[in-house]
Amino acid sequence: DTPLDLDSRSASLRVDTALGQANLSVRAATWEEDRGSGLAGTRANASGHSLSATAAQTPTADGYGWRLQAWRIDSNLANSSASVSADRSTTTPANDQFKTPATGWGLNAALRRRMTEFAGGRLEWELGADARFNDGETNELFSNPTGAGFTRIRRAGGETAVGGAYVDASWSAADWLVAGGLRVDRWENTGGFRKENTLATGAVLLNESDPDRSGEVVSARLALRRDLGGGYAARAAAYSGFRPATLNELHRPFRVGNDITEANAALTPETLKGVETGLAFDREGMRWGASVFWNQIEDAIVNVTLGSGPATFPRAGFVPAGGVLRQRQNAGTIDAWGVELTGALDLSSAVSLNAAASWTDAEIDGGSSATQLTGLRPAQAPEWSATAGLDWRATDRLTLALAARYESSRFDDDLNSRVLDAAVTLDARAEWAFTPNATLWMAADNLFDEDVEVSETGTGVAGYGPPRTVSVGLRLSY
């Protein structure tokens, strides 16, 4: 084991300007992050840049508006991993993903309308279309059976695309608000490939071309809100949605310590449907809300354990002792229902308190594809979570804030065998506005330097989230 280290750099520039009666916003950003992974001989470097532009005109009363957006992101990742000896005294290089270039870009166009008189109320609607495209590949050295060096090289990758059209609308009158939307999307996974060769001779060990896959998904939502008077309001909503598999899930295997996770080019989108209802109160500086919800995810994309080491598996190769082999799969259905509570209280014009808590009962039905998961809880899903905060405007220039967060214990793996401990963290922030256009701020995340478990190996070694992190910044606005 080695100390973690982090070197992170980023810069961004945004320009907003009038464009006739419309507004144009252009943003460019670049970043690079280099970190030690906590094991001898392992490091990760992520870098990239992005560019986006939005031109929009707000609808006038009983008039039209519009919006045009375009964006592009280019990124790259280099990541090395190692196997760990049983006594944790040595590491052996196991994988070197030396280049994983990826590009994403997208477009959105929308026509908007505001109607101040419609069916006794006010109607706003938006009709639009959008599309998102991604392509990327992984280049990696792997297989080091003797510890003398890598013997194989792998290239894998592909392309994904999602395009759709939608309509969104909201109608309000007196005590009622009704909002809804409908969209139709088509998804495509194309150009998938995986090639593996020996480094010494270039001999082909694997040469696969994945069949192209595509489909259509219809999703919708409908929400109602009624003002009951006296500060009370009731609401209800029903909705559906989907998430297509990412390039990582489709094509990029990865390794953490002795655990190997395989990609799966046959993944299909996971779909969501849900309902919720709630009651809210807002009056005289006091606000609270209570909601009950039910969600169901079908064809949930889950990292499914296939076996444990020491053993050799097809495609994945050798898994050492203490490690497991997992593969991303559409593993049945996840049902979750729960309760959410929120509250806020203004003690004075300068001091306010806020809090929230949620309880979620989530369970997997693995069906015929992953029967071993039936009755288990999804990984990384705590049963209880809660937050509490204090905001204090001490003077006209000084603002102080505290925010605490609690998460109950949860599981790191699909089989619920690796338990992550519950944790409480506290964040603090101070801002000093020394001119109307300049603010100096200081923030301390995880103020008491708590050990927050985020992972665990098969041999019980825990991995932790960020320690106490202190940031200082200067914000200028003109």
Side-chain angles (χ1 to χ4, degrees), residues 140-164:
E140 55 190 289
L141 304 174
F142 70 107
S143 185
N144 186 9
T146 65
F150 296 113
T151 62
R152 300 180 180 182
I153 187 170
R154 174 192 294 137
R155 289 183 61 241
E159 301 177 6
T160 65
V162 179

Side-chain angles (χ1 to χ4, degrees), residues 208-222:
E208 293 182 348
S209 295
D210 304 316
D212 294 345
R213 298 175 180 273
S214 62
E216 289 78 32
V217 182
V218 177
S219 51
R221 65 180 181 89
L222 178 64

Side-chain angles (χ1 to χ4, degrees), residues 189-208:
N189 299 333
T190 58
F193 69 93
R194 181 163 174 168
K195 299 178 181 179
E196 297 179 1
N197 304 79
T198 61
L199 278 174
T201 66
V204 177
L205 302 173
L206 182 68
N207 189 358
E208 293 182 348

